Short mmCIF file of all heavy atoms in Angstrom, two decimals:
data_model
loop_
_atom_site.label_atom_id
_atom_site.label_comp_id
_atom_site.label_asym_id
_atom_site.label_seq_id
_atom_site.Cartn_x
_atom_site.Cartn_y
_atom_site.Cartn_z
N MET A 1 -11.63 -6.83 11.40
CA MET A 1 -12.90 -6.17 11.24
C MET A 1 -13.73 -6.86 10.15
O MET A 1 -14.90 -7.17 10.29
CB MET A 1 -12.73 -4.68 10.94
CG MET A 1 -13.95 -3.89 10.80
SD MET A 1 -14.57 -3.60 12.51
CE MET A 1 -15.95 -2.69 12.14
N TYR A 2 -13.09 -7.13 8.96
CA TYR A 2 -13.82 -7.75 7.88
C TYR A 2 -14.26 -9.12 8.30
O TYR A 2 -15.41 -9.49 7.96
CB TYR A 2 -12.86 -7.86 6.64
CG TYR A 2 -13.46 -8.53 5.46
CD1 TYR A 2 -14.28 -7.90 4.57
CD2 TYR A 2 -13.22 -9.89 5.27
CE1 TYR A 2 -14.85 -8.57 3.50
CE2 TYR A 2 -13.78 -10.62 4.21
CZ TYR A 2 -14.60 -9.95 3.34
OH TYR A 2 -15.17 -10.56 2.24
N ASN A 3 -13.47 -9.90 8.93
CA ASN A 3 -13.77 -11.27 9.26
C ASN A 3 -15.00 -11.29 10.25
O ASN A 3 -15.71 -12.30 10.36
CB ASN A 3 -12.63 -11.97 9.92
CG ASN A 3 -11.68 -12.55 8.84
OD1 ASN A 3 -12.06 -12.60 7.69
ND2 ASN A 3 -10.50 -12.90 9.25
N ALA A 4 -15.20 -10.25 11.02
CA ALA A 4 -16.36 -10.23 11.97
C ALA A 4 -17.74 -10.21 11.24
O ALA A 4 -18.68 -10.70 11.80
CB ALA A 4 -16.24 -8.98 12.84
N PHE A 5 -17.73 -9.77 9.99
CA PHE A 5 -19.05 -9.64 9.30
C PHE A 5 -19.12 -10.47 8.08
O PHE A 5 -20.30 -10.71 7.58
CB PHE A 5 -19.27 -8.13 8.88
CG PHE A 5 -19.33 -7.18 10.08
CD1 PHE A 5 -18.21 -6.45 10.37
CD2 PHE A 5 -20.43 -7.12 10.82
CE1 PHE A 5 -18.24 -5.57 11.44
CE2 PHE A 5 -20.51 -6.23 11.92
CZ PHE A 5 -19.42 -5.47 12.24
N SER A 6 -18.12 -10.98 7.55
CA SER A 6 -18.15 -11.73 6.28
C SER A 6 -18.48 -13.18 6.52
O SER A 6 -18.19 -13.78 7.55
CB SER A 6 -16.88 -11.58 5.53
OG SER A 6 -15.89 -12.34 6.17
N LYS A 7 -19.03 -13.81 5.51
CA LYS A 7 -19.35 -15.26 5.55
C LYS A 7 -18.08 -16.05 5.23
O LYS A 7 -17.85 -17.09 5.71
CB LYS A 7 -20.44 -15.57 4.59
CG LYS A 7 -21.82 -15.05 5.01
CD LYS A 7 -22.89 -15.40 4.05
CE LYS A 7 -24.23 -14.76 4.55
NZ LYS A 7 -25.25 -15.02 3.61
N LYS A 8 -17.27 -15.44 4.25
CA LYS A 8 -16.07 -16.12 3.89
C LYS A 8 -14.94 -15.43 4.57
O LYS A 8 -14.65 -14.24 4.27
CB LYS A 8 -15.87 -16.13 2.38
CG LYS A 8 -14.61 -16.80 1.92
CD LYS A 8 -14.53 -16.96 0.45
CE LYS A 8 -13.11 -17.37 0.11
NZ LYS A 8 -12.70 -18.31 -0.55
N LYS A 9 -14.24 -16.04 5.45
CA LYS A 9 -13.18 -15.43 6.27
C LYS A 9 -11.89 -15.28 5.43
O LYS A 9 -11.60 -16.05 4.66
CB LYS A 9 -12.89 -16.27 7.51
CG LYS A 9 -14.14 -16.52 8.39
CD LYS A 9 -14.79 -15.23 8.91
CE LYS A 9 -16.00 -15.54 9.72
NZ LYS A 9 -16.83 -14.46 10.00
N VAL A 10 -11.17 -14.16 5.72
CA VAL A 10 -9.84 -13.95 5.15
C VAL A 10 -8.87 -14.73 5.99
O VAL A 10 -8.80 -14.62 7.21
CB VAL A 10 -9.47 -12.44 5.16
CG1 VAL A 10 -8.06 -12.29 4.63
CG2 VAL A 10 -10.47 -11.69 4.24
N GLY A 11 -8.18 -15.61 5.30
CA GLY A 11 -7.18 -16.43 6.05
C GLY A 11 -5.88 -15.76 6.31
O GLY A 11 -5.72 -14.58 5.93
N ASN A 12 -4.96 -16.49 6.78
CA ASN A 12 -3.60 -15.95 7.06
C ASN A 12 -2.53 -16.84 6.41
O ASN A 12 -1.46 -16.99 7.02
CB ASN A 12 -3.44 -15.88 8.60
CG ASN A 12 -2.34 -14.90 8.99
OD1 ASN A 12 -1.92 -14.10 8.19
ND2 ASN A 12 -1.88 -15.07 10.23
N SER A 13 -2.82 -17.33 5.30
CA SER A 13 -1.86 -18.22 4.58
C SER A 13 -0.74 -17.40 3.96
O SER A 13 -0.89 -16.16 3.78
CB SER A 13 -2.58 -19.01 3.50
OG SER A 13 -2.92 -18.22 2.45
N ARG A 14 0.27 -18.11 3.62
CA ARG A 14 1.42 -17.47 2.98
C ARG A 14 1.04 -16.78 1.68
O ARG A 14 1.45 -15.61 1.40
CB ARG A 14 2.49 -18.50 2.71
CG ARG A 14 3.72 -17.88 2.08
CD ARG A 14 4.81 -19.01 1.89
NE ARG A 14 6.08 -18.44 1.41
CZ ARG A 14 6.34 -18.34 0.08
NH1 ARG A 14 5.49 -18.77 -0.84
NH2 ARG A 14 7.49 -17.82 -0.32
N GLU A 15 0.23 -17.39 0.88
CA GLU A 15 -0.20 -16.87 -0.42
C GLU A 15 -1.01 -15.58 -0.20
O GLU A 15 -0.88 -14.63 -0.98
CB GLU A 15 -1.06 -17.91 -1.19
CG GLU A 15 -0.26 -19.06 -1.69
CD GLU A 15 0.06 -20.07 -0.67
OE1 GLU A 15 -0.60 -20.09 0.49
OE2 GLU A 15 0.98 -20.91 -0.86
N GLU A 16 -1.90 -15.62 0.79
CA GLU A 16 -2.71 -14.38 1.07
C GLU A 16 -1.84 -13.25 1.57
O GLU A 16 -2.08 -12.06 1.20
CB GLU A 16 -3.81 -14.71 2.11
CG GLU A 16 -4.86 -15.53 1.45
CD GLU A 16 -5.92 -15.97 2.42
OE1 GLU A 16 -5.53 -16.48 3.51
OE2 GLU A 16 -7.12 -15.84 2.11
N LYS A 17 -0.86 -13.52 2.39
CA LYS A 17 0.05 -12.46 2.81
C LYS A 17 0.79 -11.89 1.65
O LYS A 17 0.95 -10.62 1.59
CB LYS A 17 1.05 -13.02 3.85
CG LYS A 17 0.49 -13.32 5.16
CD LYS A 17 1.55 -13.94 6.11
CE LYS A 17 1.02 -14.37 7.36
NZ LYS A 17 2.07 -14.95 8.22
N ILE A 18 1.23 -12.68 0.72
CA ILE A 18 1.98 -12.20 -0.50
C ILE A 18 1.05 -11.38 -1.32
O ILE A 18 1.37 -10.33 -1.82
CB ILE A 18 2.63 -13.37 -1.24
CG1 ILE A 18 3.77 -13.95 -0.39
CG2 ILE A 18 3.08 -12.91 -2.60
CD1 ILE A 18 4.31 -15.26 -0.93
N ARG A 19 -0.21 -11.85 -1.58
CA ARG A 19 -1.17 -11.11 -2.34
C ARG A 19 -1.43 -9.73 -1.75
O ARG A 19 -1.45 -8.72 -2.49
CB ARG A 19 -2.46 -11.97 -2.50
CG ARG A 19 -3.41 -11.28 -3.43
CD ARG A 19 -4.59 -12.14 -3.77
NE ARG A 19 -5.44 -12.47 -2.61
CZ ARG A 19 -5.65 -13.69 -2.11
NH1 ARG A 19 -5.07 -14.68 -2.74
NH2 ARG A 19 -6.39 -13.90 -1.06
N PHE A 20 -1.64 -9.62 -0.45
CA PHE A 20 -1.87 -8.38 0.19
C PHE A 20 -0.65 -7.44 0.15
O PHE A 20 -0.75 -6.21 0.04
CB PHE A 20 -2.38 -8.52 1.60
CG PHE A 20 -3.85 -8.95 1.73
CD1 PHE A 20 -4.21 -10.19 2.23
CD2 PHE A 20 -4.87 -8.17 1.24
CE1 PHE A 20 -5.52 -10.56 2.33
CE2 PHE A 20 -6.13 -8.53 1.26
CZ PHE A 20 -6.51 -9.73 1.86
N ALA A 21 0.48 -8.07 0.18
CA ALA A 21 1.78 -7.26 0.10
C ALA A 21 1.85 -6.65 -1.30
O ALA A 21 2.25 -5.50 -1.40
CB ALA A 21 2.97 -8.12 0.38
N PHE A 22 1.59 -7.36 -2.30
CA PHE A 22 1.56 -6.88 -3.70
C PHE A 22 0.50 -5.73 -3.85
O PHE A 22 0.69 -4.76 -4.59
CB PHE A 22 1.40 -7.94 -4.75
CG PHE A 22 2.67 -8.58 -5.09
CD1 PHE A 22 3.03 -9.80 -4.60
CD2 PHE A 22 3.62 -7.88 -5.87
CE1 PHE A 22 4.24 -10.39 -4.98
CE2 PHE A 22 4.88 -8.48 -6.20
CZ PHE A 22 5.15 -9.74 -5.75
N ALA A 23 -0.65 -5.90 -3.16
CA ALA A 23 -1.68 -4.89 -3.23
C ALA A 23 -1.14 -3.56 -2.57
O ALA A 23 -1.37 -2.47 -3.09
CB ALA A 23 -2.96 -5.35 -2.49
N ASP A 24 -0.41 -3.71 -1.44
CA ASP A 24 0.17 -2.56 -0.86
C ASP A 24 1.22 -1.85 -1.81
O ASP A 24 1.24 -0.67 -1.93
CB ASP A 24 0.99 -2.94 0.44
CG ASP A 24 0.06 -2.96 1.64
OD1 ASP A 24 -1.05 -2.32 1.56
OD2 ASP A 24 0.46 -3.54 2.66
N LEU A 25 2.04 -2.72 -2.44
CA LEU A 25 3.03 -2.15 -3.40
C LEU A 25 2.35 -1.46 -4.54
O LEU A 25 2.79 -0.39 -5.00
CB LEU A 25 3.93 -3.26 -3.85
CG LEU A 25 4.82 -3.85 -2.77
CD1 LEU A 25 5.60 -5.07 -3.34
CD2 LEU A 25 5.78 -2.86 -2.21
N LEU A 26 1.22 -1.95 -5.04
CA LEU A 26 0.55 -1.35 -6.12
C LEU A 26 -0.07 -0.05 -5.63
O LEU A 26 -0.03 0.98 -6.37
CB LEU A 26 -0.57 -2.31 -6.61
CG LEU A 26 -1.40 -1.77 -7.79
CD1 LEU A 26 -0.52 -1.42 -8.97
CD2 LEU A 26 -2.47 -2.81 -8.17
N MET A 27 -0.62 -0.02 -4.48
CA MET A 27 -1.16 1.24 -3.88
C MET A 27 -0.07 2.34 -3.80
O MET A 27 -0.29 3.48 -4.13
CB MET A 27 -1.83 0.99 -2.48
CG MET A 27 -2.34 2.28 -1.93
SD MET A 27 -3.56 3.15 -2.88
CE MET A 27 -4.96 2.07 -2.64
N GLY A 28 1.11 1.91 -3.33
CA GLY A 28 2.26 2.83 -3.23
C GLY A 28 2.63 3.41 -4.60
O GLY A 28 2.92 4.54 -4.77
N LEU A 29 2.58 2.52 -5.62
CA LEU A 29 2.96 2.94 -6.93
C LEU A 29 1.94 3.93 -7.50
O LEU A 29 2.27 4.97 -8.11
CB LEU A 29 3.11 1.75 -7.85
CG LEU A 29 3.45 2.03 -9.31
CD1 LEU A 29 4.81 2.65 -9.39
CD2 LEU A 29 3.43 0.73 -10.07
N ILE A 30 0.67 3.65 -7.25
CA ILE A 30 -0.37 4.51 -7.67
C ILE A 30 -0.26 5.92 -7.04
O ILE A 30 -0.34 6.93 -7.70
CB ILE A 30 -1.76 3.93 -7.39
CG1 ILE A 30 -2.06 2.74 -8.31
CG2 ILE A 30 -2.87 5.02 -7.51
CD1 ILE A 30 -3.24 1.89 -7.93
N GLN A 31 -0.03 5.95 -5.67
CA GLN A 31 0.12 7.22 -5.01
C GLN A 31 1.33 7.96 -5.55
O GLN A 31 1.29 9.17 -5.65
CB GLN A 31 0.23 7.00 -3.47
CG GLN A 31 -1.10 6.54 -2.91
CD GLN A 31 -0.90 6.22 -1.44
OE1 GLN A 31 0.14 5.77 -0.99
NE2 GLN A 31 -1.95 6.49 -0.66
N GLU A 32 2.37 7.24 -5.77
CA GLU A 32 3.66 7.89 -6.23
C GLU A 32 3.46 8.50 -7.57
O GLU A 32 3.93 9.67 -7.80
CB GLU A 32 4.77 6.83 -6.27
CG GLU A 32 6.14 7.37 -6.55
CD GLU A 32 6.69 8.20 -5.39
OE1 GLU A 32 6.36 7.94 -4.24
OE2 GLU A 32 7.41 9.16 -5.68
N THR A 33 2.78 7.87 -8.48
CA THR A 33 2.56 8.48 -9.79
C THR A 33 1.49 9.49 -9.79
O THR A 33 1.56 10.49 -10.61
CB THR A 33 2.27 7.37 -10.85
OG1 THR A 33 1.14 6.63 -10.44
CG2 THR A 33 3.45 6.43 -11.01
N GLU A 34 0.47 9.34 -8.95
CA GLU A 34 -0.64 10.24 -8.91
C GLU A 34 -0.18 11.65 -8.46
O GLU A 34 -0.75 12.66 -8.92
CB GLU A 34 -1.67 9.74 -7.90
CG GLU A 34 -2.84 10.62 -7.69
CD GLU A 34 -3.71 10.07 -6.60
OE1 GLU A 34 -3.23 9.78 -5.45
OE2 GLU A 34 -4.94 9.90 -6.81
N LYS A 35 0.78 11.78 -7.64
CA LYS A 35 1.20 13.07 -7.11
C LYS A 35 1.74 13.98 -8.28
O LYS A 35 1.54 15.17 -8.16
CB LYS A 35 2.27 12.91 -6.00
CG LYS A 35 3.59 12.52 -6.51
CD LYS A 35 4.56 12.46 -5.33
CE LYS A 35 5.95 12.15 -5.86
NZ LYS A 35 6.91 11.92 -4.86
N TYR A 36 2.31 13.38 -9.29
CA TYR A 36 2.78 14.25 -10.38
C TYR A 36 1.62 14.79 -11.25
O TYR A 36 1.77 15.86 -11.84
CB TYR A 36 3.70 13.36 -11.31
CG TYR A 36 4.99 13.05 -10.60
CD1 TYR A 36 5.20 11.73 -10.09
CD2 TYR A 36 6.03 13.94 -10.38
CE1 TYR A 36 6.36 11.41 -9.44
CE2 TYR A 36 7.19 13.60 -9.74
CZ TYR A 36 7.30 12.32 -9.23
OH TYR A 36 8.51 11.97 -8.63
N TYR A 37 0.54 14.05 -11.29
CA TYR A 37 -0.62 14.49 -12.09
C TYR A 37 -1.44 15.45 -11.34
O TYR A 37 -1.98 16.41 -11.90
CB TYR A 37 -1.41 13.21 -12.45
CG TYR A 37 -2.63 13.56 -13.15
CD1 TYR A 37 -2.65 13.95 -14.51
CD2 TYR A 37 -3.92 13.41 -12.58
CE1 TYR A 37 -3.78 14.19 -15.17
CE2 TYR A 37 -5.08 13.67 -13.25
CZ TYR A 37 -5.01 14.09 -14.57
OH TYR A 37 -6.20 14.39 -15.21
N ARG A 38 -1.63 15.29 -10.02
CA ARG A 38 -2.61 16.07 -9.24
C ARG A 38 -2.05 17.26 -8.50
O ARG A 38 -2.79 18.17 -8.33
CB ARG A 38 -3.31 15.13 -8.26
CG ARG A 38 -4.22 14.14 -8.90
CD ARG A 38 -5.02 13.45 -7.79
NE ARG A 38 -6.01 12.64 -8.40
CZ ARG A 38 -7.03 12.17 -7.76
NH1 ARG A 38 -7.19 12.42 -6.47
NH2 ARG A 38 -7.91 11.39 -8.35
N TYR A 39 -0.81 17.19 -8.09
CA TYR A 39 -0.28 18.14 -7.14
C TYR A 39 0.99 18.77 -7.63
O TYR A 39 1.68 18.30 -8.52
CB TYR A 39 -0.06 17.48 -5.82
CG TYR A 39 -1.18 16.69 -5.27
CD1 TYR A 39 -1.16 15.31 -5.09
CD2 TYR A 39 -2.39 17.33 -4.91
CE1 TYR A 39 -2.23 14.55 -4.59
CE2 TYR A 39 -3.50 16.57 -4.44
CZ TYR A 39 -3.36 15.29 -4.25
OH TYR A 39 -4.40 14.54 -3.82
N THR A 40 1.42 19.81 -6.90
CA THR A 40 2.72 20.38 -7.02
C THR A 40 3.47 20.15 -5.73
O THR A 40 2.80 19.92 -4.66
CB THR A 40 2.68 21.90 -7.38
OG1 THR A 40 2.10 22.58 -6.28
CG2 THR A 40 1.89 22.12 -8.61
N PRO A 41 4.77 20.28 -5.71
CA PRO A 41 5.52 20.12 -4.42
C PRO A 41 5.11 21.04 -3.30
O PRO A 41 5.34 20.81 -2.14
CB PRO A 41 7.01 20.26 -4.81
CG PRO A 41 7.03 19.97 -6.25
CD PRO A 41 5.73 20.39 -6.82
N LYS A 42 4.44 22.13 -3.57
CA LYS A 42 4.05 23.03 -2.59
C LYS A 42 2.67 22.71 -1.96
O LYS A 42 2.24 23.33 -1.04
CB LYS A 42 3.94 24.46 -3.16
CG LYS A 42 5.30 25.02 -3.56
CD LYS A 42 5.17 26.42 -4.09
CE LYS A 42 6.60 26.90 -4.48
NZ LYS A 42 6.51 28.26 -5.04
N ASN A 43 2.01 21.67 -2.55
CA ASN A 43 0.65 21.28 -2.10
C ASN A 43 0.73 20.20 -1.09
O ASN A 43 1.63 19.36 -1.11
CB ASN A 43 -0.04 20.77 -3.35
CG ASN A 43 -1.53 20.57 -3.07
OD1 ASN A 43 -1.88 19.68 -2.34
ND2 ASN A 43 -2.37 21.36 -3.72
N PHE A 44 -0.20 20.24 -0.11
CA PHE A 44 -0.22 19.32 1.01
C PHE A 44 -0.41 17.83 0.41
O PHE A 44 0.24 16.87 0.89
CB PHE A 44 -1.41 19.57 1.95
CG PHE A 44 -1.61 18.40 2.89
CD1 PHE A 44 -0.84 18.26 4.01
CD2 PHE A 44 -2.73 17.64 2.79
CE1 PHE A 44 -1.08 17.23 4.94
CE2 PHE A 44 -2.96 16.60 3.62
CZ PHE A 44 -2.15 16.39 4.75
N GLY A 45 -1.17 17.66 -0.63
CA GLY A 45 -1.46 16.32 -1.18
C GLY A 45 -0.17 15.71 -1.69
O GLY A 45 -0.06 14.46 -1.69
N TRP A 46 0.73 16.48 -2.22
CA TRP A 46 1.99 15.94 -2.76
C TRP A 46 2.73 15.28 -1.62
O TRP A 46 3.19 14.10 -1.75
CB TRP A 46 2.84 17.03 -3.28
CG TRP A 46 4.27 16.67 -3.71
CD1 TRP A 46 5.31 16.52 -2.94
CD2 TRP A 46 4.70 16.51 -5.07
NE1 TRP A 46 6.44 16.21 -3.66
CE2 TRP A 46 6.07 16.20 -4.99
CE3 TRP A 46 4.11 16.59 -6.32
CZ2 TRP A 46 6.83 15.91 -6.14
CZ3 TRP A 46 4.81 16.31 -7.44
CH2 TRP A 46 6.19 15.97 -7.33
N TRP A 47 2.87 15.93 -0.47
CA TRP A 47 3.65 15.42 0.65
C TRP A 47 2.89 14.29 1.37
O TRP A 47 3.51 13.34 1.85
CB TRP A 47 3.99 16.54 1.61
CG TRP A 47 4.92 17.44 0.92
CD1 TRP A 47 4.62 18.68 0.42
CD2 TRP A 47 6.27 17.18 0.52
NE1 TRP A 47 5.69 19.22 -0.22
CE2 TRP A 47 6.76 18.36 -0.21
CE3 TRP A 47 7.16 16.09 0.70
CZ2 TRP A 47 8.03 18.37 -0.68
CZ3 TRP A 47 8.42 16.22 0.22
CH2 TRP A 47 8.83 17.31 -0.43
N ARG A 48 1.57 14.36 1.33
CA ARG A 48 0.79 13.25 1.93
C ARG A 48 1.05 11.98 1.09
O ARG A 48 1.30 10.91 1.70
CB ARG A 48 -0.67 13.57 1.87
CG ARG A 48 -1.57 12.48 2.42
CD ARG A 48 -3.06 12.66 2.07
NE ARG A 48 -3.23 12.73 0.68
CZ ARG A 48 -4.08 13.67 0.10
NH1 ARG A 48 -4.73 14.48 0.84
NH2 ARG A 48 -4.20 13.63 -1.21
N ASN A 49 1.10 12.07 -0.25
CA ASN A 49 1.37 10.90 -1.05
C ASN A 49 2.82 10.48 -0.93
O ASN A 49 3.07 9.28 -0.93
CB ASN A 49 1.07 11.26 -2.51
CG ASN A 49 -0.38 11.20 -2.88
OD1 ASN A 49 -1.25 11.22 -2.02
ND2 ASN A 49 -0.72 11.14 -4.16
N VAL A 50 3.75 11.36 -0.74
CA VAL A 50 5.17 10.94 -0.50
C VAL A 50 5.25 10.05 0.76
O VAL A 50 5.78 8.93 0.66
CB VAL A 50 6.05 12.20 -0.34
CG1 VAL A 50 7.45 11.79 0.17
CG2 VAL A 50 6.19 12.91 -1.64
N PHE A 51 4.68 10.53 1.88
CA PHE A 51 4.82 9.76 3.12
C PHE A 51 3.93 8.56 3.07
O PHE A 51 4.36 7.43 3.58
CB PHE A 51 4.47 10.66 4.29
CG PHE A 51 5.52 11.74 4.46
CD1 PHE A 51 5.12 13.07 4.32
CD2 PHE A 51 6.82 11.47 4.74
CE1 PHE A 51 6.10 14.03 4.52
CE2 PHE A 51 7.75 12.43 4.92
CZ PHE A 51 7.38 13.73 4.81
N SER A 52 2.78 8.67 2.54
CA SER A 52 1.87 7.49 2.52
C SER A 52 2.38 6.35 1.55
O SER A 52 2.33 5.17 2.01
CB SER A 52 0.46 7.91 2.04
OG SER A 52 -0.37 6.85 1.93
N SER A 53 2.90 6.71 0.46
CA SER A 53 3.45 5.67 -0.47
C SER A 53 4.72 5.03 0.18
O SER A 53 4.94 3.84 0.07
CB SER A 53 3.81 6.23 -1.80
OG SER A 53 4.76 7.24 -1.77
N ALA A 54 5.52 5.87 0.87
CA ALA A 54 6.65 5.28 1.52
C ALA A 54 6.29 4.28 2.59
O ALA A 54 6.86 3.21 2.72
CB ALA A 54 7.53 6.39 2.21
N PHE A 55 5.18 4.56 3.30
CA PHE A 55 4.67 3.73 4.35
C PHE A 55 4.19 2.35 3.76
O PHE A 55 4.59 1.25 4.29
CB PHE A 55 3.55 4.34 5.14
CG PHE A 55 2.88 3.45 6.16
CD1 PHE A 55 3.41 3.21 7.31
CD2 PHE A 55 1.63 2.97 5.84
CE1 PHE A 55 2.87 2.34 8.29
CE2 PHE A 55 0.96 2.09 6.73
CZ PHE A 55 1.60 1.80 7.97
N VAL A 56 3.42 2.40 2.70
CA VAL A 56 2.90 1.14 2.16
C VAL A 56 4.05 0.38 1.39
O VAL A 56 3.94 -0.88 1.42
CB VAL A 56 1.68 1.35 1.23
CG1 VAL A 56 0.50 1.81 2.09
CG2 VAL A 56 1.97 2.24 0.10
N TYR A 57 4.97 1.03 0.83
CA TYR A 57 6.13 0.33 0.20
C TYR A 57 6.85 -0.43 1.33
O TYR A 57 7.15 -1.60 1.12
CB TYR A 57 7.14 1.34 -0.41
CG TYR A 57 6.76 1.81 -1.78
CD1 TYR A 57 7.10 3.12 -2.13
CD2 TYR A 57 6.11 1.05 -2.69
CE1 TYR A 57 6.82 3.61 -3.41
CE2 TYR A 57 5.85 1.54 -3.95
CZ TYR A 57 6.24 2.79 -4.32
OH TYR A 57 5.92 3.29 -5.54
N LYS A 58 7.17 0.20 2.41
CA LYS A 58 7.86 -0.53 3.55
C LYS A 58 7.11 -1.64 4.02
O LYS A 58 7.66 -2.73 4.27
CB LYS A 58 8.21 0.52 4.62
CG LYS A 58 9.23 1.49 4.28
CD LYS A 58 9.46 2.45 5.47
CE LYS A 58 10.46 3.54 5.04
NZ LYS A 58 10.62 4.55 6.10
N ARG A 59 5.80 -1.46 4.19
CA ARG A 59 4.95 -2.55 4.71
C ARG A 59 4.90 -3.69 3.78
O ARG A 59 5.09 -4.92 4.13
CB ARG A 59 3.57 -2.05 5.03
CG ARG A 59 2.67 -3.02 5.71
CD ARG A 59 1.35 -2.42 6.12
NE ARG A 59 0.63 -1.85 4.96
CZ ARG A 59 -0.53 -1.14 5.14
NH1 ARG A 59 -0.91 -0.84 6.30
NH2 ARG A 59 -1.13 -0.67 4.05
N GLY A 60 4.76 -3.43 2.45
CA GLY A 60 4.64 -4.51 1.46
C GLY A 60 6.03 -5.23 1.36
O GLY A 60 6.04 -6.45 1.33
N PHE A 61 7.10 -4.51 1.24
CA PHE A 61 8.45 -5.16 1.13
C PHE A 61 8.81 -5.94 2.38
O PHE A 61 9.46 -6.94 2.30
CB PHE A 61 9.48 -4.18 0.75
CG PHE A 61 9.48 -3.77 -0.73
CD1 PHE A 61 9.22 -2.48 -1.11
CD2 PHE A 61 9.66 -4.73 -1.67
CE1 PHE A 61 9.21 -2.14 -2.47
CE2 PHE A 61 9.67 -4.43 -3.05
CZ PHE A 61 9.45 -3.15 -3.43
N ARG A 62 8.39 -5.44 3.52
CA ARG A 62 8.68 -6.20 4.81
C ARG A 62 8.00 -7.50 4.81
O ARG A 62 8.56 -8.55 5.20
CB ARG A 62 8.24 -5.34 6.01
CG ARG A 62 8.60 -5.94 7.32
CD ARG A 62 8.23 -5.05 8.52
NE ARG A 62 6.96 -4.38 8.31
CZ ARG A 62 6.81 -3.10 8.44
NH1 ARG A 62 7.78 -2.35 8.88
NH2 ARG A 62 5.61 -2.53 8.26
N VAL A 63 6.73 -7.58 4.35
CA VAL A 63 6.05 -8.88 4.27
C VAL A 63 6.72 -9.77 3.30
O VAL A 63 6.98 -10.95 3.54
CB VAL A 63 4.56 -8.60 3.86
CG1 VAL A 63 3.91 -9.96 3.58
CG2 VAL A 63 3.82 -7.90 5.03
N LEU A 64 7.05 -9.27 2.10
CA LEU A 64 7.73 -10.10 1.14
C LEU A 64 9.08 -10.60 1.61
O LEU A 64 9.44 -11.74 1.33
CB LEU A 64 7.92 -9.31 -0.20
CG LEU A 64 6.61 -9.02 -0.97
CD1 LEU A 64 6.86 -8.23 -2.22
CD2 LEU A 64 5.79 -10.29 -1.27
N GLU A 65 9.76 -9.76 2.29
CA GLU A 65 11.13 -10.21 2.86
C GLU A 65 10.93 -11.30 3.91
O GLU A 65 11.71 -12.21 3.92
CB GLU A 65 11.81 -9.03 3.51
CG GLU A 65 13.17 -9.30 4.06
CD GLU A 65 14.20 -9.55 2.95
OE1 GLU A 65 14.05 -9.12 1.80
OE2 GLU A 65 15.14 -10.34 3.22
N ASN A 66 9.90 -11.18 4.73
CA ASN A 66 9.65 -12.20 5.76
C ASN A 66 9.14 -13.51 5.14
O ASN A 66 9.26 -14.55 5.76
CB ASN A 66 8.65 -11.71 6.78
CG ASN A 66 9.28 -10.56 7.65
OD1 ASN A 66 10.54 -10.54 7.76
ND2 ASN A 66 8.46 -9.74 8.20
N GLU A 67 8.54 -13.51 3.95
CA GLU A 67 7.94 -14.69 3.36
C GLU A 67 8.87 -15.42 2.43
O GLU A 67 8.48 -16.33 1.77
CB GLU A 67 6.64 -14.29 2.66
CG GLU A 67 5.55 -13.86 3.52
CD GLU A 67 5.11 -14.94 4.53
OE1 GLU A 67 5.06 -16.13 4.15
OE2 GLU A 67 4.86 -14.59 5.68
N ARG A 68 10.13 -15.04 2.38
CA ARG A 68 11.11 -15.73 1.54
C ARG A 68 11.40 -17.06 2.10
O ARG A 68 11.39 -17.45 3.18
CB ARG A 68 12.41 -14.96 1.42
CG ARG A 68 12.33 -13.86 0.48
CD ARG A 68 13.70 -13.48 -0.06
NE ARG A 68 14.49 -12.82 0.99
CZ ARG A 68 15.75 -12.58 0.82
NH1 ARG A 68 16.35 -12.90 -0.29
NH2 ARG A 68 16.41 -11.98 1.71
#
């Protein structure tokens, strides 16, 4: 979607894949720590962050594992 409108296209190089994987891992870390500050275990937001952070962790680590 981004490439359809931008003048500078996002490539598919190894370095870019690794950079985006680290961005996913950072997002997972932010969500994981944010849940302690904002929510309690009885709140929907707590569980949304649990599952969402697990998803982005898996996606990020999968990319890093494939780029070894």
Side-chain angles (χ1 to χ4, degrees):
M1 182 79 178
Y2 176 83
N3 279 345
F5 298 101
S6 73
K7 292 180 182 177
K8 183 174 168 129
K9 306 299 182 193
V10 174
N12 200 16
S13 70
R14 180 178 186 270
E15 290 79 16
E16 287 173 313
K17 288 179 185 179
I18 291 171
R19 186 171 62 242
F20 283 117
F22 275 104
D24 275 343
L25 295 173
L26 181 58
M27 177 59 74
L29 180 62
I30 290 169
Q31 290 177 327
E32 189 66 32
T33 56
E34 177 186 52
K35 74 179 182 186
Y36 293 102
Y37 175 74
R38 291 187 172 198
Y39 309 113
T40 65
K42 294 180 181 179
N43 189 292
F44 170 76
W46 176 281
W47 296 105
R48 179 191 60 221
N49 281 16
V50 167
F51 294 115
S52 178
S53 63
F55 174 77
V56 294
Y57 280 146
K58 287 178 186 175
R59 184 171 61 188
F61 281 119
R62 183 176 40 231
V63 170
L64 293 178
E65 182 68 27
N66 291 336
E67 291 301 319
R68 280 203 290 170

